[in-house]
Amino acid sequence: MFSPIIPDEDKSESSVDIKVENEKDSEEPDKILIIDPDSEELDFNHARLTKLENLEPLTQIRRLCFTWNLIKKIENLDTLTTLVELELRDNQITTIENLDALQNLKFLDLSFNRIKKIEGLDNLLNLQRLYISSNKVLKIENISHLVNLTTLELGDNKIREIENLEGLEKLTYLYLGKNKITKIQNLESLKDLELLSLQSNRITTIENIEELKKLNELYLSENGITCIEGIENCLGLTTLDLANNKIKKIQNMSHLESLEEFWMNNNEIEDWSTLENLTANKKLQTVYLEQNPIAKDSNYRRKIILLLPWLEQLDATLCKRKSGQQWRE
C-alpha cells in the first residue's frame, strides 16, 4: 500500500509528509527538512536536490525516487534496510558506492549519470532489475554474483565486448544497444533469455545464440549485418528486428513459425523472389520493408500483400480488411 508523496511548495505543510526547504534565493538547491517516518514510498522527482541526506528517520521505506536532480554521490542510505526500489536516474553520479546495507533491494536505476565502472553491488544479492544505461561504462563486470537478476539494461555506454555474464541464469531481458560491440558471444549460459537487444553496435554476423532457445525478441538493427543466419534454434521468435543493415536476401527463416513482427527496412533487398521465403511465416502480422530497393516499385504494396495476404500492417500503414477474411489493400 504505497502512497507516493511529491514535494510541492504550493501545498500547505499539513497536507504533505515532506517539506523541502526553499531559501529566499530561488536559485539555491532544495533540501529535505521534514520526513514522515512512516512513509513507504517517496518521490523527489525534479526537486533540485544536490545531496542524499536526512533519510535516517525512515523505518518502513520501500521505494525512493530521486530522478532529475543534481546528486553527485550515493550516500547516507545505510539505515534504509527495508528499501526495495531505488531510482537515481538523471543525476550527476560518477561512482556506484555505499549500497552494502540495502540487502533487500530488488530494483536499482542509475541510468543517465556519469558512471564509468560497474562496482559496489557485492551485497545486493536480491537484485532483480538493474538499469545503468546512458552512462560511460567501459566493461561488463562485477555482476556475475547477482543470481536473481532478470533484467539488465546497459544500453548507450562504451562497452566493446559481451562478457562476464556467467551466473546470471535467471536473466530474461538483456539490453546492450548503442555500444561498441563487434561480436555476439558469451551468451550460452543465459538459457532463460527471452529478449536480446543489440541495436546500434558494430556487429557483422548473427552468431553464438544457439543456446538461447527461449528467445522471443531479437533486436539487431543499425549494425553491419549482411546475412540472416544463426537463428536455427530460436524457434520461439515472435519479433526479429534487422532494420538498417546491409542484407540483400531474406533466408533461413521458414522455421520461425511463431514470428509476428519482422522489421527489415533500410536494407539492400532488390530481388522480389527473395520475399517468397516469407510465405512459410503464416503468423506474420507486421513487416517493414520500406527504404529497400524493392520499395521503389510503384506496385510495391500491392505485390507484397498479394504474396502475404495475412499481413495486418506493411511498413507504417495498416492493410485493409476485405470480406472478413484476409488483409488486402
Side-chain angles (χ1 to χ4, degrees), residues 128-146:
Q128 296 178 1
R129 291 182 288 167
L130 175 61
Y131 300 84
I132 317 180
S133 63
S134 299
N135 278 276
K136 300 178 181 181
V137 175
L138 298 172
K139 183 177 182 179
I140 303 174
E141 59 185 332
N142 301 319
I143 59 172
S144 59
H145 64 289
L146 302 177

Side-chain angles (χ1 to χ4, degrees), residues 63-78:
R63 178 180 178 270
L64 274 175
C65 179
F66 292 97
T67 61
W68 283 91
N69 281 288
L70 305 169
I71 298 166
K72 292 181 171 62
K73 183 180 178 68
I74 303 174
E75 58 185 336
N76 299 320
L77 300 176
D78 290 350

